[in-house]
Amino acid sequence: MTGNGMLMLAGVVLLSGVVAATHLVRSADRAAPNLATVRTDGVIANLLPQEVPDLQAPTTGGTRVRGVVRRSESPRSVPSPPAPLPDVRTIGTNPSPAPHPEPPPDPTRQIALIAVAEANGNERAVLMNLDTQERVHASEGDTAFGFRVAAIGEDLPAGREELDARGLLVLPGGVDSHCHIEQLSAAGLINADTFETATASAALGGTTTVIPFVAQHVGTSLAAAAEDYHRRAERGAIVDYAFHLILADPRPEILKDELPPLVRAGHASLKVFLTYDRLKIDDEQLLDVLDAARTHGLMVCVHAENHGMIRWMGRRLVERGFTAPRYHVPSHPRIGEVEGIHRAIACAALLDQPIMIFHVSTAEGAAVIHRARGEGKKVWGETCTQYLTLTSAELDRPGIEGAKWICSPPLREPADQEALWWALEVGTLQCVSSDHAPYRMDETGKLAKGPNPSFKEIANGIPGLELRLPVLFDVMVSRGRLGLCKFVELTATAPARIYGLHPKKGTIAPGSDADLVLWDAERKVTIEDAPRTDRAGYTPYAGRTVKGWPRHVLLRGRPIVRDGKLEGTPGQGRFLPRQGGRAALPTGRPAPEFDPAHNFGARLW
């Protein structure tokens, strides 16, 4: 019970991640007529904080959530030992695992409600009533900060705006933690999207938070690049955003002078490349970056492939006349991903610095991460929608058409898909991003080097921000692969938690931003190969029919998509300052070379 009219949640939270029924205790000293409410006769799917047992998470207005939650990692932030690893030669060759059916809704339970209040404490609020027909009334007194979830329970008081939606799933807004927006590539090409078009497509697909990149290039200032990207995002973003900082040139003055103010401003993750001529850093530079990250409590994200193997194979293929888009696949050897991941983990282990391996594409790469986590190394991993649902066969098309599916790492084989699904199921990989990198099929993008370029001259990247969630919902929920709760975890909760945005983002809980997506789980959509909201002009998922589609999307309590139509406006999105958080903390077990007890007393920190 609180003294300001807020509500105390003291209910039962199912550990499966479905909020089935909660019991509300209202403050006796003051009613709360202006709290907002979400009422649904369907399912509210959600993952509450999962860092430690018996979590007590204070939120705004004195509201507190109590519940026993699953332990995702030990109190020392060491990844739990994973399940035994199958032989990588057999991963994916067995039949697909049986679907994980969701438990049917309990017909006897009472209707669950979500109360939403303004983030700045103002008592004016928004009501979202989800058990009757659509009816919307504009709220009064909205501020730029939007609204937060105030309580979850039964019989909450009415608010000032109602959004009715019978029979929909209420899920947290998606968090896409890896996407390239309005970014200048090292080859001098700008992505097809602006912040406005990219985040509009994100919103239409149910994503309310994105983490794109500030891209530094060799010889340039990281601080100046950050200022430029912030200016673009402030002007155009329709959803909320943070930034990863790409370090292509980690000169001493960058790490010592420019990085600390950016950290204080709320940037909490770095990205480095182990390949690409104008982006790659060597091992010594990688260690410098890891050391700086450890000093400031940052996450380091790595594009891990062996540069020498890619260059050598690419040259060999072109010299022998194998230049069509399909030869992009063998130009990136599978073993090159394995070696790159091994090397990144080894460097990180020397300094006891957590890392995230981006866009894992192979069974063998997932196996390296699995083994490292089993050894107690703090390694995180992601894969992307395309590696779970598309294969290298997409590139084997007449003429130049296969260029649409050129991305790096390249698309792999069906057996790799099975291995990646397994890795997501057991926790070896923790999230699924889009790696949205749109280039048009014209002289501004994929065909910048002419109408018939070799695979080495084609811009790498495919669009995916809008369709990440619908494609994954279809596979995971509609077809039963891993289920609804795992869908929420991999696409919203886990990326928010790993990148320091949880519980503000990625969950439906008191104190969290009211980022809600109302899914029509029965709607079927056939994806057309036609221009979408992003500016790529095509989609790699054309022809696929998916079941399940976002109907309404709310950002901080305000509808930005209503009945599938965009209502959000450019500049509505807000920058999300953050810290590295627990995911970026060292394990506290230094390598022997850094331990004075084993290095003859040398103190190196």
Side-chain angles (χ1 to χ4, degrees):
M1 186 176 295
T2 65
N4 60 358
M6 298 295 287
L7 302 175
M8 179 73 75
L9 176 68
V12 178
V13 179
L14 298 187
L15 297 186
S16 68
V18 177
V19 181
T22 55
H23 302 285
L24 198 67
V25 179
R26 183 178 303 159
S27 174
D29 58 350
R30 183 179 177 185
N34 290 319
L35 286 176
T37 307
V38 175
R39 182 181 296 113
T40 177
D41 57 0
V43 173
I44 300 174
N46 181 48
L47 286 171
L48 293 175
Q50 295 184 357
E51 316 318 331
V52 293
D54 299 317
L55 184 69
Q56 297 185 7
T59 59
T60 58
T63 306
R64 185 177 297 274
V65 180
R66 295 180 182 271
V68 180
V69 295
R70 293 192 308 273
R71 182 191 300 231
S72 61
E73 53 179 300
S74 72
R76 297 177 61 193
S77 295
V78 180
S80 301
L85 177 68
D87 188 326
V88 296
R89 294 168 297 182
T90 62
I91 292 178
T93 59
N94 297 323
S96 300
H100 294 246
E102 294 298 326
D106 180 0
T108 66
R109 76 168 192 265
Q110 293 183 313
I111 290 173
L113 301 174
I114 303 175
V116 180
E118 281 189 353
N120 65 352
N122 193 309
E123 288 186 354
R124 296 187 181 96
V126 58
L127 170 69
M128 290 163 290
N129 182 342
L130 307 182
D131 70 343
T132 56
Q133 294 302 311
E134 298 163 9
R135 185 170 75 257
V136 179
H137 305 289
S139 63
E140 300 177 6
D142 287 2
T143 71
F145 299 99
F147 301 89
R148 294 176 181 166
V149 175
I152 304 175
E154 302 165 6
D155 302 323
L156 297 184
R160 298 199 178 187
E161 180 179 355
E162 296 183 2
L163 175 60
D164 301 339
R166 184 187 304 273
L168 303 181
L169 298 179
V170 182
L171 310 186
V175 178
D176 194 336
S177 54
H178 183 174
C179 50
H180 302 268
I181 300 176
E182 208 169 334
Q183 181 179 323
L184 177 66
S185 74
L189 295 176
I190 290 280
N191 294 149
D193 269 332
T194 64
F195 269 90
E196 179 180 347
T197 60
T199 56
S201 68
L204 288 166
T207 291
T208 54
T209 300
V210 295
I211 311 182
F213 297 88
V214 167
Q216 182 217 24
H217 297 286
V218 174
T220 66
S221 164
L222 180 63
E227 183 179 353
D228 178 42
Y229 280 89
H230 273 277
R231 184 167 54 249
R232 300 182 195 188
E234 288 168 5
R235 179 176 62 244
I238 294 172
V239 303
D240 290 347
Y241 58 92
F243 282 110
H244 303 296
L245 305 176
I246 292 178
L247 283 169
D249 188 7
R251 308 185 303 275
E253 61 269 27
I254 298 293
L255 298 179
K256 293 180 181 178
D257 300 331
E258 294 194 11
L259 183 59
L262 291 170
V263 173
R264 291 193 293 272
H267 300 90
S269 50
L270 309 174
K271 182 183 180 182
V272 295
F273 290 82
L274 303 188
T275 187
Y276 298 135
D277 288 333
R278 299 180 181 90
L279 288 173
K280 74 177 183 69
I281 62 174
D282 61 30
D283 291 351
E284 190 172 352
Q285 291 173 309
L286 175 58
L287 291 168
D288 286 339
V289 171
L290 292 166
D291 188 36
R294 194 180 196 279
T295 298
H296 297 292
L298 310 179
M299 179 65 73
V300 177
C301 309
V302 185
H303 180 131
E305 291 184 279
N306 183 287
H307 181 68
M309 290 183 187
I310 293 171
R311 278 182 57 87
W312 192 91
M313 283 295 294
R315 185 175 67 250
R316 184 93 165 197
L317 286 160
V318 171
E319 287 174 350
R320 284 159 173 74
F322 301 110
T323 61
R326 58 182 169 271
Y327 296 110
H328 173 69
V329 177
S331 77
H332 285 246
R334 304 170 63 88
I335 194 66
E337 178 173 271
V338 174
E339 190 280 333
I341 294 174
H342 262 303
R343 181 155 43 98
I345 291 174
C347 289
L350 176 63
L351 274 70
D352 187 23
Q353 166 60 37
I355 60 171
M356 163 67 75
I357 304 297
F358 270 166
H359 45 50
V360 178
S361 68
T362 63
E364 298 92 334
V368 174
I369 297 171
H370 187 91
R371 190 170 296 112
R373 288 174 62 84
E375 293 169 353
K377 296 181 176 68
K378 201 163 181 182
V379 184
W380 309 96
E382 65 147 46
T383 190
C384 307
T385 317
Q386 56 267 32
Y387 302 117
L388 295 167
T389 60
L390 303 173
T391 70
S392 62
E394 303 288 355
L395 285 81
D396 190 14
R397 294 170 183 258
I400 202 67
E401 186 182 1
K404 294 179 180 178
W405 288 268
I406 284 185
C407 58
S408 290
L411 302 177
R412 303 295 186 179
E413 307 308 316
D416 295 297
Q417 292 179 338
E418 293 301 319
L420 295 174
W421 281 115
W422 176 86
L424 290 168
E425 182 172 9
V426 301
T428 297
L429 305 179
Q430 295 80 37
C431 48
V432 182
S433 73
S434 70
D435 194 7
H436 176 77
Y439 293 98
R440 296 182 63 82
M441 280 291 289
D442 60 23
E443 67 280 358
T444 70
K446 298 272 188 180
L447 307 183
K449 296 293 185 180
N452 192 33
S454 75
F455 69 86
K456 286 182 65 64
E457 298 172 313
I458 296 171
N460 286 206
I462 60 177
L465 247 177
E466 180 177 353
L467 294 176
R468 176 183 73 118
L469 293 182
V471 169
L472 290 173
F473 187 97
D474 175 62
V475 177
M476 298 183 68
V477 182
S478 299
R479 303 187 197 181
R481 179 143 208 175
L482 302 190
L484 177 63
C485 300
K486 196 71 171 178
F487 169 78
V488 172
E489 177 186 349
L490 296 174
T491 63
T493 310
R497 188 170 60 242
I498 290 171
Y499 293 110
L501 295 171
H502 192 274
K504 181 179 179 68
K505 301 292 186 181
T507 188
I508 303 174
S512 300
D513 283 358
D515 296 349
L516 305 174
V517 183
L518 282 57
W519 284 79
D520 183 346
E522 300 302 317
R523 183 183 174 189
K524 292 184 179 180
V525 175
T526 298
I527 300 169
E528 298 180 357
D529 192 14
R532 307 192 67 82
T533 308
D534 66 49
R535 297 168 71 179
Y538 75 96
T539 171
Y541 304 102
R544 180 184 296 261
T545 297
V546 298
K547 183 180 179 182
W549 200 265
R551 181 183 296 180
H552 308 298
V553 180
L554 295 97
L555 175 69
R556 287 177 271 115
R558 293 189 180 85
I560 56 173
V561 173
R562 199 189 307 260
D563 287 320
K565 304 296 183 182
L566 184 69
E567 291 191 355
T569 57
Q572 183 175 357
R574 294 289 180 265
F575 174 63
L576 301 167
R578 58 198 173 94
Q579 297 178 332
R582 290 189 56 170
L585 292 178
T587 66
R589 299 193 306 275
E593 293 79 8
F594 277 83
D595 186 351
H598 295 88
N599 68 3
F600 307 102
R603 298 192 177 276
L604 302 177
W605 296 118

